[in-house]
């Protein structure tokens, strides 16, 4: 049985194909009639070989890179995880945001071994994606920088990235940032007051569970009484079907 995450990625890969015909071609493809023809064939739905996908991916075609990376993942062999991460990073660099979660997943695979040069390139791709507004890239890179794996730890940058993700609506990132300030990190003492902006973002979440956790953390901040959750929308009673009388179906030929 296929992993549901892989099924979702497959659907994403298929769904974006028709919309990619008008994108700006990478120079290596734009200058090669054979690569342009191969790319056109891929977008038309032809199932390309591994060699063909890799050729397009190495020329900078993001969709081909994501598809080839998925094939490498599907081999279920740790020896191919670093290559999968490399090709997912090409996809992300070319603006295929749907590949970001899989790139992050490959980087946290404990069975994989990554070379330092490859990790530098991948980190640069994630940092670029985060600064271009991808909250998944920002939050994912931040978590790795907090852990110190697979990239070297960088707590200040991790906090900046968590704030970027939180401002984009990621309540989990907001909570993680607040906890980081309240509990402190290696070499950085606790600073509960610094958690206030993150808690304000968490309290703006429409999720009651997130609001409750944020309020609990807020009690550790002096003068936190001013921090209040956002008002949740009041359900419209007219939309509550449980309060409506049952509707009797109209039989064919019967009077309404």
């Amino acid at each position: 049985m296929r992993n549901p995450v892989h099924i979702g990625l497959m659907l994403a890969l298929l769904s974006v194909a028709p919309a990619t015909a008008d994108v700006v071609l990478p120079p290596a493809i734009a200058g090669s009639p054979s690569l342009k023809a191969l790319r056109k064939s891929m977008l038309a739905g032809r199932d390309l070989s591994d060699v063909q996908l890799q050729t397009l991916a190495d020329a900078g075609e993001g969709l081909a890179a994501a598809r080839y990376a998925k094939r490498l993942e599907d081999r279920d062999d740790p020896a191919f995880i670093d290559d999968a991460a490399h090709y997912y990073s090409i996809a992300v660099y070319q603006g295929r945001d749907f590949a970001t979660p899989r790139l992050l997943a490959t980087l946290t695979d404990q069975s994989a071994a990554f070379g330092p040069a490859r990790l530098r390139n991948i980190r640069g791709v994630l940092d670029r994606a985060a600064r271009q507004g991808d909250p998944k890239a920002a939050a994912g890179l931040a978590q790795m920088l907090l852990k110190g794996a697979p990239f070297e730890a960088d707590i200040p940058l991790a906090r900046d990235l968590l704030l970027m993700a939180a401002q984009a609506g990621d309540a989990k990132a907001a909570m993680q940032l607040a906890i980081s300030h309240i509990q402190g990190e290696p070499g950085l003492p606790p600073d509960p007051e610094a958690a206030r902006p993150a808690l304000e973002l968490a309290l703006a979440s429409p999720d009651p569970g997130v609001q409750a956790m944020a309020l609990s953390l807020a009690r550790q901040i002096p003068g936190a009484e001013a921090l209040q959750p956002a008002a949740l929308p009041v359900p419209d009673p007219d939309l509550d079907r449980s309060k409506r009388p049952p509707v009797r179906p109209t039989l064919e030929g019967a009077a309404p």
Side-chain angles (χ1 to χ4, degrees):
M1 183 175 180
R2 285 187 176 272
N3 186 316
V5 174
H6 283 189
I7 293 174
L9 177 61
M10 183 182 299
L11 293 174
L13 289 171
L14 294 174
S15 65
V16 298
T20 57
D22 296 329
V23 300
V24 177
L25 294 179
I29 296 178
S32 169
S34 62
L35 289 181
K36 287 173 69 175
L38 187 60
R39 178 179 181 274
K40 183 177 180 180
S41 181
M42 176 189 70
L43 295 178
R46 177 184 165 195
D47 190 16
L48 302 187
S49 69
D50 286 358
V51 171
Q52 289 172 323
L53 280 179
Q54 185 179 11
T55 299
L56 281 176
D58 288 339
E61 169 41 61
L63 181 60
R67 289 182 174 178
Y68 183 56
K70 183 183 178 300
R71 288 190 186 178
L72 293 173
E73 264 199 295
D74 285 347
R75 293 178 183 177
D76 199 23
D77 185 339
F80 293 103
I81 296 299
D82 62 330
D83 285 332
H86 168 67
Y87 283 101
Y88 277 133
S89 73
I90 292 176
V92 173
Y93 184 84
Q94 295 296 338
R96 312 292 179 170
D97 294 345
F98 63 83
T100 300
R102 293 315 309 156
L103 173 57
L104 297 172
T106 57
L107 291 172
T108 56
D109 190 320
Q110 298 298 317
S111 66
F114 301 95
R118 179 157 285 182
L119 280 178
R120 282 196 299 272
N121 290 337
I122 293 174
R123 175 172 169 177
V125 169
L126 284 173
D127 185 76
R128 176 177 178 266
R131 297 186 186 284
Q132 287 182 341
D134 184 344
K136 290 186 176 65
L141 178 57
Q143 291 168 12
M144 295 175 192
L145 295 177
L146 286 174
K147 288 182 183 178
F151 308 116
E152 184 177 351
D154 188 335
I155 306 302
L157 178 56
R159 288 175 170 175
D160 287 344
L161 291 169
L162 285 175
L163 181 59
M164 290 169 60
Q167 290 172 335
D170 188 335
K172 183 178 178 181
M175 292 298 298
Q176 189 172 10
L177 178 57
I179 291 172
S180 175
H181 283 300
I182 290 172
Q183 295 183 348
E185 300 286 354
L188 294 172
D191 185 2
E193 183 59 35
R196 186 182 293 270
L199 289 176
E200 290 174 346
L201 290 170
L203 288 169
S205 168
D207 187 333
V210 171
Q211 291 187 359
M213 289 188 290
L215 282 175
S216 178
L217 287 174
R219 297 189 185 100
Q220 304 181 49
I221 300 178
E225 297 80 9
L227 291 175
Q228 295 296 325
L232 297 177
V234 178
D236 186 345
D238 291 336
L239 298 179
D240 187 351
R241 295 184 179 272
S242 65
K243 296 180 180 179
R244 295 182 181 180
V247 178
R248 299 178 61 183
T250 301
L251 299 178
E252 184 177 355

